[in-house]
Amino acid sequence: MRLLLVEDNLSLADSLTRALNQGGFAVDCMHNGADADQVLRTEDYALVILDLGLPKLDGLEVLRRLRQRRNKVPVLILTAHGSVDERVKGLDLGADDYLTKPCDLNELEARARALIRRSHGFDSAELSFGPLRYDSVSRVFSLESGPLSLTPREHAVLEVLLLRGGKAVSKEAVSEQIFGLDDSSSPDAIEIYVHRLRKKLEGSGVAIVTLRGLGYLLEARDAAA
């Protein structure tokens, strides 16, 4: 899933980006509040990790503007300033969670996964759709026949469709959730990943259906059909 990291400490931003990439996230990184505010007006993210002490525009103002635009993307505040008053202000402005720096990377990843799951209506780390199972901690998809062998891009596409199980997702929306700003891939590449996934899901009882003009839909069906 694609997330936005807003952190002005370049060394910390680099280490967090690498850690989140290893955890399966596509990460865009901004180093000041003005750039973050601008990109949040045009790009779609599954999560925002937001520092508060930012140059040009502080994190609370970025958050205030985001919610003023009625953007409901989950926001995890990550800051060195951990006063109760500041946490209360951030939560009142619409933040979903709060971590004080320095933080444990495993905890950061766990909170990120939990916020993304909850934003799609899933409370448990174990997600399911028909016979398809997904352990969001170990990041393993499986069917009754066993674990699915997926490339990172195939995994990312299937995760997007699973989180929106039962709802159509346009090719462009899938692309926005798995490719960062620096990636050169186009939305047309999604067709290739969907084609490969269909082969791997064939006969399993779950399928990816194309709805003309709407996009892709994950559908549970009779495996014998």
Side-chain angles (χ1 to χ4, degrees):
M1 302 295 289
R2 184 185 180 203
L3 60 81
L4 176 66
L5 171 66
V6 192
E7 170 59 59
D8 65 321
N9 184 309
L10 300 185
S11 177
L12 178 59
D14 182 64
S15 63
L16 289 177
T17 296
R18 284 188 279 108
L20 291 165
N21 283 156
Q22 291 175 359
F25 296 98
V27 182
D28 290 337
C29 188
M30 297 294 154
H31 303 300
N32 67 71
D35 287 346
D37 180 59
Q38 185 60 40
V39 78
L40 284 168
R41 293 174 184 271
T42 59
E43 300 296 320
D44 185 29
Y45 293 98
L47 174 71
V48 178
I49 299 178
L50 179 66
D51 185 24
L52 293 187
L54 297 168
K56 297 187 179 181
L57 200 67
D58 69 73
L60 289 177
E61 180 61 18
V62 172
L63 176 59
R64 187 190 68 78
R65 294 184 183 189
L66 179 72
R67 295 308 189 218
Q68 192 174 52
R69 296 192 296 271
R70 299 186 179 181
N71 189 323
K72 297 181 179 180
V73 60
V75 174
L76 170 61
I77 290 179
L78 182 64
T79 181
H81 307 293
S83 72
V84 173
D85 287 345
E86 192 173 50
R87 286 199 295 270
V88 169
K89 188 172 183 180
L91 294 169
D92 282 344
L93 283 173
D96 298 273
D97 202 354
Y98 209 107
L99 266 180
T100 302
K101 295 185 287 188
C103 66
D104 181 82
L105 290 176
N106 289 328
E107 182 180 6
L108 175 62
E109 289 183 31
R111 288 181 183 242
R113 290 192 298 266
L115 286 172
I116 292 172
R117 287 197 308 268
R118 289 169 189 162
S119 70
H120 291 282
F122 294 95
D123 294 322
S124 171
E126 296 280 346
L127 283 62
S128 63
F129 189 81
L132 181 67
R133 300 288 183 271
Y134 179 51
D135 185 328
S136 63
V137 177
S138 64
R139 302 192 69 249
V140 173
F141 278 102
S142 61
L143 297 165
E144 292 179 359
S145 57
L148 275 173
S149 177
L150 304 173
T151 67
R153 293 299 193 198
E154 291 167 358
H155 185 287
V157 171
L158 189 55
E159 186 175 4
V160 171
L161 295 178
L162 175 63
L163 285 171
R164 294 161 178 77
K167 296 180 181 178
V169 190
S170 70
K171 181 170 61 176
E172 291 74 21
V174 176
S175 179
E176 286 178 355
Q177 283 298 315
I178 71 170
F179 295 133
L181 291 172
D182 295 331
D183 290 326
S184 58
S185 298
S186 71
D188 290 336
I190 301 302
E191 296 179 9
I192 298 173
Y193 304 130
V194 168
H195 175 71
R196 294 173 181 170
L197 283 169
R198 280 175 170 151
K199 286 189 173 182
K200 294 181 179 182
L201 294 171
E202 193 170 21
S204 68
V206 64
I208 300 173
V209 177
T210 299
L211 300 179
R212 189 177 297 276
L214 295 176
Y216 302 112
L217 172 71
L218 196 64
E219 180 181 84
R221 54 176 59 170
D222 186 350

